[in-house]
Amino acid sequence: MLLFNKRYWGNLARKRWLVDGDRNYRYFHQSAKNRKRHCSILRIKDASGIWLEELQVIRQKFIDDFSDHFTSARSSLSKLNCNLASPVVSVEENIELIKPVTEDEIYTAVFQMDPHKALDSDGIGASFFQDHWVVIKDLLSFAIKDFFQSGKLLKEVNHTLITLIPKVDNPKTTAQFRPISLCNTIYKILAKILVNRMRPILTRIVHPTQSAFIPNRAIHDNILIAHEIINKFKHFKGKRAT
């Protein structure tokens, strides 16, 4: 019964948003205010447990903590000797990977993207490129081909907007937020083209024990294997192998 009520009110709220959300009604403004209030960080605790409430101090606290967290304490590795590693990509596959980008690849990458994803820092999402493809395809294709030929990316294209996602309800410290980057749509198109080229050989060049970010593999598989191994150790505890 509780599950039914959740589904009912969830569908009702979604329908109301579809009817009144895109119009300049009171419901729209109330929803925008509530969302802004919910997403605002009014105060945060420091390492000593003291609440920080000044906006500039809170900003600097996030910058300092995330800079320390994502900065490696190790020095960069020296250049590896290529003779120690055997090649896993054939000459034919390498030719396919580095060949000039075609307009068909650009078209496929654009329309593979979810048009309803969060907007980028410039406010232009994938839906804009898909809806106005006929108008912008020539300029977009020229920009993408120029990147693959020159290897240079404009700073504006490489710009990302960092947003903070709370890990728990009512977060109190910076560690309870997860930062994610909203990349530019053109940057995503470039990455999608590279992914599409790598996909046919990805399962072969990636080790079988690598379970994350590979099609038909799940990171939970390793967790299940670890549990099975631990259970085996507990079962054979105190027994000697014959």
Side-chain angles (χ1 to χ4, degrees):
M1 187 67 181
L2 180 60
L3 180 60
F4 173 78
N5 288 335
K6 286 184 177 180
R7 290 179 178 176
Y8 172 78
W9 289 110
N11 293 332
L12 183 63
R14 189 176 296 107
K15 290 178 181 178
R16 187 175 181 187
W17 176 258
L18 292 175
V19 175
D20 299 334
D22 291 338
R23 303 181 181 180
N24 195 21
Y25 285 173
R26 180 181 179 185
Y27 175 77
F28 171 79
H29 290 279
Q30 286 180 341
S31 300
K33 289 181 180 178
N34 291 336
R35 181 175 177 81
K36 182 178 180 181
R37 189 183 305 111
H38 178 74
C39 295
S40 299
I41 301 176
L42 303 178
R43 61 177 187 169
I44 205 77
K45 277 185 178 181
D46 62 5
S48 303
I50 300 176
W51 286 102
L52 307 176
E53 299 182 353
E54 295 184 14
L55 181 59
Q56 188 60 36
V57 177
I58 295 175
R59 289 176 178 173
Q60 192 61 43
K61 177 63 176 174
F62 274 100
I63 294 174
D64 294 340
D65 287 357
F66 285 132
S67 297
D68 294 338
H69 182 72
F70 291 104
T71 300
S72 176
R74 299 180 180 179
S75 58
S76 59
L77 296 175
S78 58
K79 187 175 180 180
L80 296 177
N81 187 356
C82 298
N83 296 326
L84 300 177
S86 59
V88 294
V89 178
S90 64
V91 177
E92 293 77 11
E93 291 172 340
N94 189 54
I95 293 175
E96 289 294 319
L97 291 174
I98 64 175
K99 69 180 182 180
V101 177
T102 63
E103 294 186 0
D104 290 338
E105 287 184 289
I106 299 174
Y107 176 88
T108 302
V110 170
F111 284 87
Q112 280 181 340
M113 300 173 64
D114 188 348
H116 304 295
K117 286 287 188 178
L119 298 179
D120 308 323
S121 57
D122 55 7
I124 300 177
S127 60
F128 172 83
F129 290 83
Q130 296 173 0
D131 295 340
H132 301 84
W133 173 254
V134 177
V135 179
I136 67 173
K137 64 177 182 178
D138 293 335
L139 291 176
L140 179 63
S141 299
F142 176 80
I144 292 177
K145 290 179 180 179
D146 180 72
F147 163 75
F148 281 101
Q149 292 174 0
S150 64
K152 297 180 180 179
L153 191 63
L154 292 176
K155 183 179 180 180
E156 292 78 7
V157 176
N158 198 30
H159 177 76
T160 58
L161 180 64
I162 298 178
T163 185
L164 302 174
I165 305 299
K167 299 179 182 178
V168 298
D169 295 333
N170 301 320
K172 299 178 181 179
T173 64
T174 57
Q176 294 176 333
F177 288 90
R178 182 178 72 253
I180 63 172
S181 298
L182 302 179
C183 301
N184 189 285
T185 303
I186 298 180
Y187 183 93
K188 293 179 182 178
I189 296 173
L190 297 172
K192 180 70 70 174
I193 293 173
L194 295 175
V195 170
N196 289 338
R197 289 194 172 189
M198 290 290 296
R199 183 175 285 115
I201 64 173
L202 198 61
T203 55
R204 184 174 58 79
I205 65 176
V206 177
H207 197 273
T209 58
Q210 170 66 38
S211 57
F213 311 111
I214 303 298
N216 301 323
R217 300 184 192 178
I219 195 172
H220 300 91
D221 295 342
N222 287 343
I223 299 175
L224 295 176
I225 294 174
H227 278 292
E228 290 294 330
I229 294 175
I230 294 174
N231 288 334
K232 285 293 183 180
F233 283 148
K234 289 182 179 179
H235 179 72
F236 289 102
K237 184 177 180 180
K239 297 181 179 181
R240 295 182 179 180
T242 57

PDB file of all heavy atoms in Angstrom, residues 41-46 50-65 174:
ATOM      1  N   ILE A  41      24.106  25.874   0.160  1.00  0.00           N
ATOM      2  CA  ILE A  41      24.946  25.472   1.289  1.00  0.00           C
ATOM      3  C   ILE A  41      25.112  26.701   2.179  1.00  0.00           C
ATOM      4  O   ILE A  41      25.861  27.621   1.857  1.00  0.00           O
ATOM      5  CB  ILE A  41      26.311  24.955   0.801  1.00  0.00           C
ATOM      6  CG1 ILE A  41      26.115  23.764  -0.142  1.00  0.00           C
ATOM      7  CG2 ILE A  41      27.176  24.544   1.992  1.00  0.00           C
ATOM      8  CD1 ILE A  41      27.404  23.246  -0.746  1.00  0.00           C
ATOM      9  N   LEU A  42      24.398  26.721   3.285  1.00  0.00           N
ATOM     10  CA  LEU A  42      24.375  27.885   4.166  1.00  0.00           C
ATOM     11  C   LEU A  42      25.486  27.861   5.196  1.00  0.00           C
ATOM     12  O   LEU A  42      25.948  28.915   5.629  1.00  0.00           O
ATOM     13  CB  LEU A  42      23.016  27.990   4.865  1.00  0.00           C
ATOM     14  CG  LEU A  42      21.804  28.077   3.929  1.00  0.00           C
ATOM     15  CD1 LEU A  42      20.510  28.139   4.750  1.00  0.00           C
ATOM     16  CD2 LEU A  42      21.920  29.288   3.015  1.00  0.00           C
ATOM     17  N   ARG A  43      25.919  26.686   5.583  1.00  0.00           N
ATOM     18  CA  ARG A  43      27.015  26.576   6.550  1.00  0.00           C
ATOM     19  C   ARG A  43      27.642  25.197   6.444  1.00  0.00           C
ATOM     20  O   ARG A  43      27.030  24.260   5.932  1.00  0.00           O
ATOM     21  CB  ARG A  43      26.519  26.843   7.972  1.00  0.00           C
ATOM     22  CG  ARG A  43      25.460  25.873   8.478  1.00  0.00           C
ATOM     23  CD  ARG A  43      25.111  26.191   9.912  1.00  0.00           C
ATOM     24  NE  ARG A  43      24.212  25.186  10.488  1.00  0.00           N
ATOM     25  CZ  ARG A  43      23.917  25.116  11.780  1.00  0.00           C
ATOM     26  NH1 ARG A  43      24.451  25.992  12.636  1.00  0.00           N
ATOM     27  NH2 ARG A  43      23.107  24.184  12.244  1.00  0.00           N
ATOM     28  N   ILE A  44      28.867  25.090   6.940  1.00  0.00           N
ATOM     29  CA  ILE A  44      29.620  23.846   6.862  1.00  0.00           C
ATOM     30  C   ILE A  44      30.549  23.764   8.065  1.00  0.00           C
ATOM     31  O   ILE A  44      30.973  24.798   8.606  1.00  0.00           O
ATOM     32  CB  ILE A  44      30.418  23.759   5.532  1.00  0.00           C
ATOM     33  CG1 ILE A  44      30.686  22.308   5.152  1.00  0.00           C
ATOM     34  CG2 ILE A  44      31.710  24.543   5.628  1.00  0.00           C
ATOM     35  CD1 ILE A  44      29.486  21.626   4.583  1.00  0.00           C
ATOM     36  N   LYS A  45      30.872  22.555   8.491  1.00  0.00           N
ATOM     37  CA  LYS A  45      31.764  22.372   9.631  1.00  0.00           C
ATOM     38  C   LYS A  45      33.200  22.209   9.156  1.00  0.00           C
ATOM     39  O   LYS A  45      33.459  21.596   8.123  1.00  0.00           O
ATOM     40  CB  LYS A  45      31.375  21.120  10.427  1.00  0.00           C
ATOM     41  CG  LYS A  45      30.247  21.327  11.419  1.00  0.00           C
ATOM     42  CD  LYS A  45      30.032  20.068  12.242  1.00  0.00           C
ATOM     43  CE  LYS A  45      28.937  20.284  13.281  1.00  0.00           C
ATOM     44  NZ  LYS A  45      28.720  19.069  14.117  1.00  0.00           N
ATOM     45  N   ASP A  46      34.127  22.780   9.924  1.00  0.00           N
ATOM     46  CA  ASP A  46      35.538  22.570   9.631  1.00  0.00           C
ATOM     47  C   ASP A  46      36.053  21.365  10.409  1.00  0.00           C
ATOM     48  O   ASP A  46      35.278  20.645  11.047  1.00  0.00           O
ATOM     49  CB  ASP A  46      36.356  23.830   9.947  1.00  0.00           C
ATOM     50  CG  ASP A  46      36.308  24.209  11.418  1.00  0.00           C
ATOM     51  OD1 ASP A  46      35.715  23.446  12.226  1.00  0.00           O
ATOM     52  OD2 ASP A  46      36.860  25.264  11.779  1.00  0.00           O
ATOM     53  N   ILE A  50      33.733  23.452  14.081  1.00  0.00           N
ATOM     54  CA  ILE A  50      33.186  24.800  14.149  1.00  0.00           C
ATOM     55  C   ILE A  50      32.413  25.087  12.864  1.00  0.00           C
ATOM     56  O   ILE A  50      32.883  24.791  11.765  1.00  0.00           O
ATOM     57  CB  ILE A  50      34.316  25.839  14.343  1.00  0.00           C
ATOM     58  CG1 ILE A  50      35.080  25.546  15.642  1.00  0.00           C
ATOM     59  CG2 ILE A  50      33.754  27.251  14.358  1.00  0.00           C
ATOM     60  CD1 ILE A  50      36.263  26.445  15.859  1.00  0.00           C
ATOM     61  N   TRP A  51      31.247  25.675  13.008  1.00  0.00           N
ATOM     62  CA  TRP A  51      30.417  25.990  11.851  1.00  0.00           C
ATOM     63  C   TRP A  51      30.947  27.228  11.134  1.00  0.00           C
ATOM     64  O   TRP A  51      31.228  28.239  11.760  1.00  0.00           O
ATOM     65  CB  TRP A  51      28.970  26.244  12.276  1.00  0.00           C
ATOM     66  CG  TRP A  51      28.215  24.994  12.658  1.00  0.00           C
ATOM     67  CD1 TRP A  51      27.935  24.567  13.914  1.00  0.00           C
ATOM     68  CD2 TRP A  51      27.670  24.037  11.755  1.00  0.00           C
ATOM     69  NE1 TRP A  51      27.235  23.387  13.862  1.00  0.00           N
ATOM     70  CE2 TRP A  51      27.055  23.037  12.545  1.00  0.00           C
ATOM     71  CE3 TRP A  51      27.646  23.908  10.368  1.00  0.00           C
ATOM     72  CZ2 TRP A  51      26.419  21.938  11.996  1.00  0.00           C
ATOM     73  CZ3 TRP A  51      27.011  22.809   9.812  1.00  0.00           C
ATOM     74  CH2 TRP A  51      26.402  21.839  10.621  1.00  0.00           C
ATOM     75  N   LEU A  52      31.089  27.119   9.834  1.00  0.00           N
ATOM     76  CA  LEU A  52      31.490  28.244   8.992  1.00  0.00           C
ATOM     77  C   LEU A  52      30.264  28.718   8.224  1.00  0.00           C
ATOM     78  O   LEU A  52      29.610  27.934   7.539  1.00  0.00           O
ATOM     79  CB  LEU A  52      32.586  27.816   8.007  1.00  0.00           C
ATOM     80  CG  LEU A  52      33.824  27.133   8.621  1.00  0.00           C
ATOM     81  CD1 LEU A  52      34.768  26.684   7.526  1.00  0.00           C
ATOM     82  CD2 LEU A  52      34.519  28.077   9.589  1.00  0.00           C
ATOM     83  N   GLU A  53      29.940  30.007   8.354  1.00  0.00           N
ATOM     84  CA  GLU A  53      28.702  30.518   7.781  1.00  0.00           C
ATOM     85  C   GLU A  53      28.922  31.620   6.753  1.00  0.00           C
ATOM     86  O   GLU A  53      27.986  31.967   6.028  1.00  0.00           O
ATOM     87  CB  GLU A  53      27.776  31.022   8.887  1.00  0.00           C
ATOM     88  CG  GLU A  53      27.373  29.921   9.878  1.00  0.00           C
ATOM     89  CD  GLU A  53      26.415  30.422  10.945  1.00  0.00           C
ATOM     90  OE1 GLU A  53      26.179  31.653  10.978  1.00  0.00           O
ATOM     91  OE2 GLU A  53      25.901  29.604  11.731  1.00  0.00           O
ATOM     92  N   GLU A  54      30.118  32.176   6.679  1.00  0.00           N
ATOM     93  CA  GLU A  54      30.385  33.201   5.675  1.00  0.00           C
ATOM     94  C   GLU A  54      30.597  32.536   4.311  1.00  0.00           C
ATOM     95  O   GLU A  54      31.317  31.543   4.192  1.00  0.00           O
ATOM     96  CB  GLU A  54      31.626  34.013   6.051  1.00  0.00           C
ATOM     97  CG  GLU A  54      31.448  34.829   7.326  1.00  0.00           C
ATOM     98  CD  GLU A  54      32.660  35.701   7.608  1.00  0.00           C
ATOM     99  OE1 GLU A  54      33.493  35.855   6.689  1.00  0.00           O
ATOM    100  OE2 GLU A  54      32.768  36.217   8.735  1.00  0.00           O
ATOM    101  N   LEU A  55      29.967  33.102   3.291  1.00  0.00           N
ATOM    102  CA  LEU A  55      29.973  32.477   1.971  1.00  0.00           C
ATOM    103  C   LEU A  55      31.381  32.306   1.421  1.00  0.00           C
ATOM    104  O   LEU A  55      31.742  31.241   0.902  1.00  0.00           O
ATOM    105  CB  LEU A  55      29.128  33.313   1.003  1.00  0.00           C
ATOM    106  CG  LEU A  55      29.004  32.774  -0.434  1.00  0.00           C
ATOM    107  CD1 LEU A  55      28.398  31.380  -0.427  1.00  0.00           C
ATOM    108  CD2 LEU A  55      28.172  33.719  -1.287  1.00  0.00           C
ATOM    109  N   GLN A  56      32.207  33.328   1.533  1.00  0.00           N
ATOM    110  CA  GLN A  56      33.566  33.256   1.002  1.00  0.00           C
ATOM    111  C   GLN A  56      34.409  32.228   1.763  1.00  0.00           C
ATOM    112  O   GLN A  56      35.225  31.511   1.170  1.00  0.00           O
ATOM    113  CB  GLN A  56      34.225  34.639   1.072  1.00  0.00           C
ATOM    114  CG  GLN A  56      35.569  34.712   0.366  1.00  0.00           C
ATOM    115  CD  GLN A  56      35.466  34.385  -1.124  1.00  0.00           C
ATOM    116  OE1 GLN A  56      34.482  34.726  -1.771  1.00  0.00           O
ATOM    117  NE2 GLN A  56      36.486  33.712  -1.659  1.00  0.00           N
ATOM    118  N   VAL A  57      34.183  32.119   3.065  1.00  0.00           N
ATOM    119  CA  VAL A  57      34.922  31.139   3.873  1.00  0.00           C
ATOM    120  C   VAL A  57      34.503  29.722   3.493  1.00  0.00           C
ATOM    121  O   VAL A  57      35.338  28.808   3.408  1.00  0.00           O
ATOM    122  CB  VAL A  57      34.677  31.398   5.372  1.00  0.00           C
ATOM    123  CG1 VAL A  57      35.368  30.336   6.221  1.00  0.00           C
ATOM    124  CG2 VAL A  57      35.175  32.783   5.761  1.00  0.00           C
ATOM    125  N   ILE A  58      33.202  29.518   3.242  1.00  0.00           N
ATOM    126  CA  ILE A  58      32.713  28.207   2.828  1.00  0.00           C
ATOM    127  C   ILE A  58      33.311  27.817   1.482  1.00  0.00           C
ATOM    128  O   ILE A  58      33.748  26.680   1.278  1.00  0.00           O
ATOM    129  CB  ILE A  58      31.175  28.207   2.762  1.00  0.00           C
ATOM    130  CG1 ILE A  58      30.589  28.408   4.163  1.00  0.00           C
ATOM    131  CG2 ILE A  58      30.659  26.903   2.147  1.00  0.00           C
ATOM    132  CD1 ILE A  58      29.087  28.531   4.185  1.00  0.00           C
ATOM    133  N   ARG A  59      33.342  28.758   0.546  1.00  0.00           N
ATOM    134  CA  ARG A  59      33.930  28.483  -0.767  1.00  0.00           C
ATOM    135  C   ARG A  59      35.386  28.066  -0.644  1.00  0.00           C
ATOM    136  O   ARG A  59      35.830  27.096  -1.247  1.00  0.00           O
ATOM    137  CB  ARG A  59      33.808  29.720  -1.652  1.00  0.00           C
ATOM    138  CG  ARG A  59      32.388  30.039  -2.106  1.00  0.00           C
ATOM    139  CD  ARG A  59      32.373  31.327  -2.894  1.00  0.00           C
ATOM    140  NE  ARG A  59      31.042  31.650  -3.390  1.00  0.00           N
ATOM    141  CZ  ARG A  59      30.733  32.790  -4.003  1.00  0.00           C
ATOM    142  NH1 ARG A  59      31.671  33.722  -4.189  1.00  0.00           N
ATOM    143  NH2 ARG A  59      29.507  33.001  -4.426  1.00  0.00           N
ATOM    144  N   GLN A  60      36.149  28.816   0.151  1.00  0.00           N
ATOM    145  CA  GLN A  60      37.565  28.517   0.293  1.00  0.00           C
ATOM    146  C   GLN A  60      37.786  27.178   0.990  1.00  0.00           C
ATOM    147  O   GLN A  60      38.741  26.453   0.682  1.00  0.00           O
ATOM    148  CB  GLN A  60      38.256  29.632   1.084  1.00  0.00           C
ATOM    149  CG  GLN A  60      39.771  29.562   1.050  1.00  0.00           C
ATOM    150  CD  GLN A  60      40.318  29.675  -0.360  1.00  0.00           C
ATOM    151  OE1 GLN A  60      39.856  30.499  -1.148  1.00  0.00           O
ATOM    152  NE2 GLN A  60      41.303  28.846  -0.685  1.00  0.00           N
ATOM    153  N   LYS A  61      36.874  26.823   1.905  1.00  0.00           N
ATOM    154  CA  LYS A  61      36.971  25.544   2.599  1.00  0.00           C
ATOM    155  C   LYS A  61      36.813  24.386   1.622  1.00  0.00           C
ATOM    156  O   LYS A  61      37.570  23.403   1.666  1.00  0.00           O
ATOM    157  CB  LYS A  61      35.892  25.469   3.686  1.00  0.00           C
ATOM    158  CG  LYS A  61      35.849  24.145   4.443  1.00  0.00           C
ATOM    159  CD  LYS A  61      37.124  23.881   5.216  1.00  0.00           C
ATOM    160  CE  LYS A  61      37.013  22.610   6.026  1.00  0.00           C
ATOM    161  NZ  LYS A  61      38.297  22.242   6.689  1.00  0.00           N
ATOM    162  N   PHE A  62      35.855  24.485   0.708  1.00  0.00           N
ATOM    163  CA  PHE A  62      35.672  23.447  -0.303  1.00  0.00           C
ATOM    164  C   PHE A  62      36.880  23.363  -1.228  1.00  0.00           C
ATOM    165  O   PHE A  62      37.340  22.266  -1.569  1.00  0.00           O
ATOM    166  CB  PHE A  62      34.407  23.731  -1.120  1.00  0.00           C
ATOM    167  CG  PHE A  62      33.153  23.180  -0.507  1.00  0.00           C
ATOM    168  CD1 PHE A  62      32.292  24.002   0.204  1.00  0.00           C
ATOM    169  CD2 PHE A  62      32.839  21.845  -0.641  1.00  0.00           C
ATOM    170  CE1 PHE A  62      31.137  23.500   0.761  1.00  0.00           C
ATOM    171  CE2 PHE A  62      31.679  21.321  -0.083  1.00  0.00           C
ATOM    172  CZ  PHE A  62      30.815  22.159   0.624  1.00  0.00           C
ATOM    173  N   ILE A  63      37.403  24.508  -1.640  1.00  0.00           N
ATOM    174  CA  ILE A  63      38.563  24.520  -2.536  1.00  0.00           C
ATOM    175  C   ILE A  63      39.771  23.869  -1.870  1.00  0.00           C
ATOM    176  O   ILE A  63      40.466  23.038  -2.471  1.00  0.00           O
ATOM    177  CB  ILE A  63      38.887  25.956  -2.967  1.00  0.00           C
ATOM    178  CG1 ILE A  63      37.754  26.522  -3.841  1.00  0.00           C
ATOM    179  CG2 ILE A  63      40.217  26.005  -3.723  1.00  0.00           C
ATOM    180  CD1 ILE A  63      37.933  27.973  -4.198  1.00  0.00           C
ATOM    181  N   ASP A  64      40.026  24.232  -0.621  1.00  0.00           N
ATOM    182  CA  ASP A  64      41.185  23.684   0.088  1.00  0.00           C
ATOM    183  C   ASP A  64      41.048  22.180   0.310  1.00  0.00           C
ATOM    184  O   ASP A  64      41.996  21.412   0.071  1.00  0.00           O
ATOM    185  CB  ASP A  64      41.360  24.397   1.431  1.00  0.00           C
ATOM    186  CG  ASP A  64      41.719  25.860   1.262  1.00  0.00           C
ATOM    187  OD1 ASP A  64      42.195  26.231   0.175  1.00  0.00           O
ATOM    188  OD2 ASP A  64      41.509  26.643   2.216  1.00  0.00           O
ATOM    189  N   ASP A  65      39.863  21.748   0.752  1.00  0.00           N
ATOM    190  CA  ASP A  65      39.682  20.322   1.065  1.00  0.00           C
ATOM    191  C   ASP A  65      39.748  19.457  -0.182  1.00  0.00           C
ATOM    192  O   ASP A  65      40.401  18.402  -0.187  1.00  0.00           O
ATOM    193  CB  ASP A  65      38.341  20.114   1.781  1.00  0.00           C
ATOM    194  CG  ASP A  65      38.374  20.636   3.208  1.00  0.00           C
ATOM    195  OD1 ASP A  65      39.446  21.097   3.646  1.00  0.00           O
ATOM    196  OD2 ASP A  65      37.327  20.598   3.884  1.00  0.00           O
ATOM    197  N   THR A 174      32.557  18.920   4.159  1.00  0.00           N
ATOM    198  CA  THR A 174      32.879  18.868   2.733  1.00  0.00           C
ATOM    199  C   THR A 174      33.034  17.431   2.246  1.00  0.00           C
ATOM    200  O   THR A 174      32.815  17.149   1.070  1.00  0.00           O
ATOM    201  CB  THR A 174      34.175  19.639   2.452  1.00  0.00           C
ATOM    202  OG1 THR A 174      35.248  19.089   3.249  1.00  0.00           O
ATOM    203  CG2 THR A 174      34.018  21.112   2.801  1.00  0.00           C
TER     204      THR A 174
END
